[in-house]
């Protein structure tokens, strides 16, 4: 009896292990497919822009005439949202919105990346982000870091270090005398 019970436990354990392995593989395949699906990315970015635009208008009390025909076209939305400059305060309020969090989750932007997302997206250091910074940053933050991302960042840092060393060497050179010897005091 104990032998039969033990044998069934082993069989159940093997079955559960295989099911978990298959589920993990399936999740990885779905995630890989989603990362490659540019149509999915485009649709989610449009959805994100619409939510950002609506919430931004409410937050900034923007008066924008409503169209009589209903929804605005994508071209019109991009045209109206192009000058949008979102400050860190407004951005943090937008990120607390459940629709925005859902879109970030759908785009595989990791929770830990969302905490300092504004700093990562504000590439020009202006203190505001525009839609171009938003789209490019979100597209690059999708999914896990890949080996190519890490190597690229390492090479960029090394290049920056070399440039700084060259600049330091130039700055530390003695300056040539401009107008002869110094005046006596």
């Amino acid at each position: 009896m104990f032998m039969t019970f033990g044998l069934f436990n082993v069989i159940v354990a093997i079955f559960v292990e295989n099911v978990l392995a298959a589920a993990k593989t399936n999740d990885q395949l779905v995630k890989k497919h989603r990362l490659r699906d540019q149509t999915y990315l485009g649709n989610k970015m449009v959805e994100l822009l619409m939510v950002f635009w609506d919430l931004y208008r409410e937050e900034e009390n923007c008066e924008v005439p409503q169209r009589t025909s209903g929804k605005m076209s994508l071209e019109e939305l991009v045209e109206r949202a192009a000058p949008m400059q979102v400050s860190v305060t407004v951005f943090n309020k937008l990120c607390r919105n459940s629709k925005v969090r859902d879109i970030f989750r759908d785009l595989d932007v990791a929770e830990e990346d969302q905490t300092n997302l504004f700093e990562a997206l504000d590439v020009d250091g202006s203190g505001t982000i525009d839609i171009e910074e938003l789209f490019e940053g979100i597209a690059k933050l999708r999914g896990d870091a890949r080996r190519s991302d890490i190597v690229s960042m390492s090479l960029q840092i090394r290049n920056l270090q070399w440039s700084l060393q060259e600049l330091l060497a130039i700055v530390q050179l003695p300056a040539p005398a401009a107008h002869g010897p110094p005046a006596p005091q």
Side-chain angles (χ1 to χ4, degrees), residues 5 75 103 119 121 141 176 183:
F5 184 69
E75 292 81 17
I103 294 170
E119 289 78 17
L121 296 176
L141 281 172

Side-chain angles (χ1 to χ4, degrees), residues 5 24 38:
F5 184 69
K24 184 176 181 181
Q38 293 300 315

Side-chain angles (χ1 to χ4, degrees), residues 32-82:
K32 185 182 277 189
H33 177 51
R34 193 179 325 153
L35 287 173
R36 291 184 180 166
D37 189 357
Q38 293 300 315
T39 305
Y40 182 81
L41 173 64
N43 291 338
K44 283 296 176 180
M45 289 300 212
V46 168
E47 189 179 337
L48 181 66
L49 179 60
M50 285 193 282
V51 172
F52 258 61
W53 174 244
D54 289 341
L55 295 173
Y56 175 79
R57 278 192 349 217
E58 290 173 15
E59 191 65 35
E60 296 293 322
N61 295 321
C62 294
E63 290 296 325
V64 178
Q66 294 295 321
R67 288 175 37 125
T68 55
S69 63
K71 288 188 169 186
M72 76 174 102
S73 69
L74 177 60
E75 292 81 17
E76 187 177 3
L77 176 64
V78 170
E79 182 181 314
R80 288 185 180 189

Side-chain angles (χ1 to χ4, degrees), residues 24-37 105-110 142-145:
K24 184 176 181 181
T25 303
N26 188 36
D27 287 346
Q28 289 173 341
L29 289 174
V30 167
K31 190 174 185 179
K32 185 182 277 189
H33 177 51
R34 193 179 325 153
L35 287 173
R36 291 184 180 166
D37 189 357
R105 192 175 314 110
D106 290 345
L107 290 173
D108 292 322
V109 176
R142 294 181 68 214
D144 298 326

